[in-house]
Amino acid sequence: MSKLVTIYGGSGFVGRYIARRMAKDGWRVRVAVRRPNEALFVKPYGVVGQVEPVFCNIRDDGSVRAAMMGADAVVNCVGTFDAGGKNNFDAVQDAGATRIARIASEQGVGAMVHLSAIGADAEAESGYAASKGKGEAGVLEHMPTAMILRPSVVFGQEDEFFNRFATMTRFSPVLPIVGAETKFQPVYVDDVAHAACMGIKGEASGIYELGGPDVQSFRELMKEMLGVIHRRKLMLNIPFFVARPMAWVMGVVDTLSLGLVPQQISGDQVKQLRQDNVVSGDHKGFSDLGIRPTATEAVLPDYLWRFRPSGQYDAIKESAKNLRAH
């Protein structure tokens, strides 16, 4: 019987790449999610019955325990950007992560990988970063040999970073950005999954900060994205002192409209954007795992082409223009 890994949040952006890699390696994969019927797309990652979505609410001991039954390794990919509600920062990223580690320890699970974030710090001003820091402490208290991954902003086909801003360019002549000079080190989703799989197989443990090969400012990343999608937009840097009240107003509108007008940026995200999101050098990284990280330029055109003015026909129109010019 092949080994079994339970991936909490395994149908999410990073989780699905880990699930695909582990299935390819011959493991049985249990994808523990709140809505299994929305995670059926993971089943073809393996042969029939190899990858199975199951229901799990990480706020409940019994639910977490049931999803972990018989697992040789566990991965926690569950995260949230919601400061309020039942599935808030503390419930998911602190208590939820700690619960998974405690039950993994009780059940004698051999390996655990926990997905955190650069900037995780229990003392951070940002609620998101503070809950990530507390979650790490909870995981290490119960599973001291766990592998903790702290990626910078993660990019890839289903990302909520480049896709989101590229979508905005379709409707607005202006691209507003908060913290234009804040530095990022974008990391490719499958590189993060590769690192996680090493932890699952017991080949690595400890804290790893994961950043891609390039450090760029927010403005530079948007400029690169605009180049890929062949659009010219005016980039408007919104100062932090303007962004904070703006985020508050957006939150009120989101609440009053019952989510019909979603909040584009929260006050907590404004706090996060004050800090550079790059590896500190205080922890291990990709080089210690023997992984060579992928650059944005190698991947962005593969999935952002659909935001070009003529989509897949953009290159054909461009070459036709050149022929007419000659």
Side-chain angles (χ1 to χ4, degrees):
M1 200 65 141
S2 58
K3 287 190 166 185
L4 169 66
V5 58
T6 295
I7 308 174
Y8 294 90
S11 65
F13 178 34
V14 179
R16 67 184 68 183
Y17 283 82
I18 299 172
R20 189 184 287 132
R21 275 182 169 267
M22 293 311 296
K24 212 172 175 180
D25 279 355
W27 283 54
R28 287 182 297 132
V29 182
R30 192 178 287 153
V31 172
V33 289
R34 275 191 295 166
R35 289 183 276 274
N37 58 313
E38 292 176 17
L40 297 176
F41 65 87
V42 301
K43 294 181 84 160
Y45 290 172
V47 297
V48 176
Q50 188 184 357
V51 183
E52 282 297 327
V54 298
F55 169 76
C56 178
N57 174 0
I58 68 160
R59 301 197 320 272
D60 178 73
D61 270 34
S63 187
V64 170
R65 194 173 280 112
M68 201 183 293
M69 199 69 71
D72 298 282
V74 299
V75 184
N76 177 33
C77 293
V78 185
T80 184
F81 289 110
D82 293 335
K86 287 188 291 188
N87 293 296
N88 58 41
F89 293 151
D90 290 327
V92 172
Q93 296 177 165
D94 177 8
T98 304
R99 177 174 291 107
I100 290 168
R102 170 171 55 78
I103 292 170
S105 176
E106 287 169 10
Q107 296 206 0
V109 173
M112 177 168 179
V113 176
H114 173 65
L115 191 67
S116 185
I118 280 181
D121 178 2
E123 305 300 318
E125 188 190 352
S126 150
Y128 176 87
S131 64
K132 283 285 192 184
K134 291 171 189 169
E136 286 187 4
V139 167
L140 292 174
E141 179 189 345
H142 297 287
M143 293 289 282
T145 61
M147 181 190 213
I148 290 176
L149 302 179
R150 292 179 179 174
S152 182
V153 62
V154 184
F155 70 92
Q157 190 169 345
E158 307 87 352
D159 73 43
E160 288 183 18
F161 185 72
F162 288 111
N163 278 308
R164 183 179 173 189
F165 287 101
T167 301
M168 286 166 67
T169 67
R170 283 175 165 169
F171 310 105
S172 170
V174 176
L175 194 61
I177 48 178
V178 177
E181 302 313 316
T182 300
K183 299 277 195 293
F184 290 90
Q185 201 168 347
V187 57
Y188 182 45
V189 60
D190 199 44
D191 292 338
V192 178
H194 186 178
C197 291
M198 292 179 73
I200 294 167
K201 291 182 275 191
E203 296 165 7
S205 65
I207 297 173
Y208 288 80
E209 288 189 335
L210 305 179
D214 304 309
V215 173
Q216 293 165 280
S217 69
F218 201 164
R219 189 197 305 276
E220 287 167 339
L221 289 173
M222 292 300 98
K223 204 171 168 184
E224 182 183 2
M225 180 267 291
L226 289 169
V228 169
I229 65 173
H230 303 165
R231 291 182 188 264
R232 296 173 72 177
K233 298 288 171 181
L234 176 68
M235 276 189 274
L236 179 65
N237 180 35
I238 299 170
F240 290 115
F241 72 86
V242 175
R244 287 191 77 168
M246 195 175 80
W248 182 82
V249 171
M250 282 181 178
V252 172
V253 173
D254 183 18
T255 305
L256 294 177
S257 70
L258 301 176
L260 289 174
V261 184
Q263 189 173 8
Q264 294 300 316
I265 189 167
S266 69
D268 198 79
Q269 285 169 325
V270 173
K271 288 176 187 172
Q272 289 173 58
L273 284 164
R274 287 180 170 275
Q275 309 293 325
D276 286 342
N277 199 271
V278 297
V279 301
S280 64
D282 298 335
H283 298 281
K284 291 177 281 192
F286 277 128
S287 58
D288 300 279
L289 298 168
I291 298 171
R292 193 173 175 183
T294 310
T296 49
E297 62 193 37
V299 178
L300 293 187
D302 290 349
Y303 67 96
L304 292 183
W305 58 265
R306 65 187 189 279
F307 295 102
R308 291 171 183 165
S310 304
Q312 68 200 56
Y313 304 109
D314 217 59
I316 297 168
K317 286 180 79 171
E318 197 61 40
S319 60
K321 261 191 222 168
N322 290 338
L323 280 170
R324 280 202 300 271
H326 294 299

